[in-house]
Amino acid sequence: MIKKSIKLIDFIYVYATISITQTSVSRIFLLYCTWYFIKIAHSSQDLSLMLMVSWIANTVSLLASNIISQRYGYNYTIKIISVTVSSALILYLIFSEFVHIKQHQNYILMLLSIIGVTLSSATAMLIPLSTPIIATASNDIFSMKRRIKILSNTFILNLILGTFLGGLIINVYGGGSAILVDSVLSIFGVILSLVFYIVYPKNKLKPDSKKRNPIDQLREGAKYVFYTPPERVIATVSMMVNMVITPVIFLIFPVVILNGGHSIIDVSLAEVLVGVGILMSSSFLLRLTDRLLSPHSIVSLSILICTVSLVLIMFSDSIICLFFSALLIGVGLSLFNVTSNTKRALSIPERHLPNMEGFLLFLCTASIPLGFFMTKYFLKINHIEYILFIFIGILFSAVLISSSSKSLKSMLNDSHEEGVKYYERVYKHIFSGDMA
């Protein structure tokens, strides 16, 4: 009876809830680590090291997720993620109950780092699953669009349940309560993974043995990205933006806010405002800029907005100014990603889109640890303003690269009429099959 009732649930609602739960668990724990490393242990350098290793692990996880899913199926991957997350949190919960934190702080920091990296990399494995799960189990375009819309609406819930809820619990009830809530959520995630197994269409459980190895797909994506001039520019600029903005959001903001005498709830609010900026941009700012500016100008402007936000962080200690900077970062990121990715999707032939998208995602993720490494060094010598100055220089260089690229301008401003894709029209020698 219970199984029949569960069967009536659309699998995408279950997957969306899994995504919300696991992302929230990872975000709450990361906020706990941020609070503990900076406020309790006074060791922001160790926090930067943990974040750097986490993003390295995330890069590997993107590949591992594809390999495991192709070999064993999406259900198996989701179960691995859920059990790993829950086991890691329960381990820390048990350990913290029996160990005196002040006497064994080094062990606590080490364990926090190991679990933080584990949770982050496990959650990252969910990222490549969304699109193929929807595509393999949707029978028509209408159901696919509906399911994509459901998943896109989970973004704001991730902000509320993860970032804001985590900061609120730590600020009001303390770090231990946050870990307890996290553990309960992780167990809920395991239950959801079993529900997903029941509701996901059984005829889609068997992996596609004809799919190519993800490493080969990555290699092919790299070939087309590097040989196509606009793609080279987009890849370069995207790496520069990700290398700078990710450490700013997850490390520099917390350090500046907490060391400035503010609370962990202010850290979570700053991160929520990044999300608010993204939502503002996607809801009405994009339509406004589309009327006033060309797509090429929007891409350059978006990076300039992120640059201005870093200037504000560097020259102002006001919490209101920091919040405004976070909002600007969200606006800039959304304008850049939506405009560039939409135009790329219209330009890249469908047969090459998955591989080229996968390689660009890999490049962007792989560039982030370098930003954390640079930040760690300047935190060690207590000169955070130096790394901000360097980051401003990197972003301004990205503005110059994007604004001066004729090939990028041509691709972004093309009318993209239906028919032959832009890259097949302009770069026939690359996309005609000669490179295959």
Side-chain angles (χ1 to χ4, degrees), residues 50-59 120 246 250 365 368-369 372:
M50 185 198 80
L51 293 171
M52 180 180 71
V53 175
S54 292
W55 281 97
I56 294 173
N58 289 355
T59 306
S120 179
T246 306
F250 294 112
T365 307
I368 291 171
F372 280 115

Side-chain angles (χ1 to χ4, degrees), residues 285-305 335 339 343 409 412-413:
L285 289 178
L286 272 168
R287 291 196 297 270
L288 179 62
T289 53
D290 282 340
R291 294 171 189 167
L292 300 175
L293 301 170
S294 68
H296 181 242
S297 299
I298 293 173
V299 166
S300 299
L301 175 65
S302 65
I303 307 173
L304 186 60
I305 289 172
L335 289 174
T339 304
K343 289 296 184 177
K409 181 179 181 180
L412 292 175
N413 291 347

Side-chain angles (χ1 to χ4, degrees), residues 27 30-44 47 51 166-168 170-171 248-271 313 317-319 322-323 379 384:
R27 192 66 209 111
L30 184 56
L31 272 172
Y32 173 80
C33 290
T34 302
W35 168 77
Y36 189 89
F37 275 83
I38 297 176
K39 294 293 285 186
I40 307 300
H42 304 290
S43 183
S44 55
L47 175 62
L51 293 171
L168 185 64
I170 295 171
N171 193 59
V248 168
I249 295 173
F250 294 112
L251 185 57
I252 292 179
F253 267 135
V255 169
V256 172
I257 291 172
L258 291 177
N259 286 344
H262 305 286
S263 66
I264 190 67
I265 192 68
D266 294 312
V267 175
S268 63
L269 281 173
E271 293 183 21
I313 298 170
D317 295 327
S318 167
I319 189 68
L322 289 173
F323 286 160
L379 285 175
I384 198 169

Side-chain angles (χ1 to χ4, degrees), residues 146-187:
R146 183 179 66 84
R147 285 165 171 160
I148 290 174
K149 186 177 180 180
I150 291 170
L151 279 183
S152 66
N153 289 337
T154 63
F155 177 76
I156 188 65
L157 292 174
N158 282 332
L159 285 175
I160 295 173
L161 290 178
T163 305
F164 186 73
L165 180 61
L168 185 64
I169 292 172
I170 295 171
N171 193 59
V172 177
Y173 299 106
S177 298
I179 298 298
L180 183 60
V181 170
D182 234 11
S183 301
V184 173
L185 278 175
S186 70
I187 295 172

Side-chain angles (χ1 to χ4, degrees), residues 195-255:
V195 174
F196 183 79
Y197 177 81
I198 296 172
V199 300
Y200 192 73
K202 286 293 182 290
N203 61 324
K204 303 295 183 181
L205 290 177
K206 188 177 180 181
D208 185 359
S209 58
K210 296 181 181 179
K211 283 186 177 180
R212 297 175 59 193
N213 187 292
I215 303 297
D216 293 334
Q217 293 175 327
L218 202 64
R219 190 182 298 116
E220 183 170 322
K223 179 172 62 177
Y224 284 98
V225 167
F226 286 143
Y227 276 90
T228 311
E231 288 294 299
R232 285 203 303 266
V233 178
I234 284 289
T236 302
V237 171
S238 297
M239 287 174 65
M240 295 168 80
V241 171
N242 278 273
M243 182 179 69
V244 168
I245 295 301
T246 306
V248 168
I249 295 173
F250 294 112
L251 185 57
I252 292 179
F253 267 135
V255 169

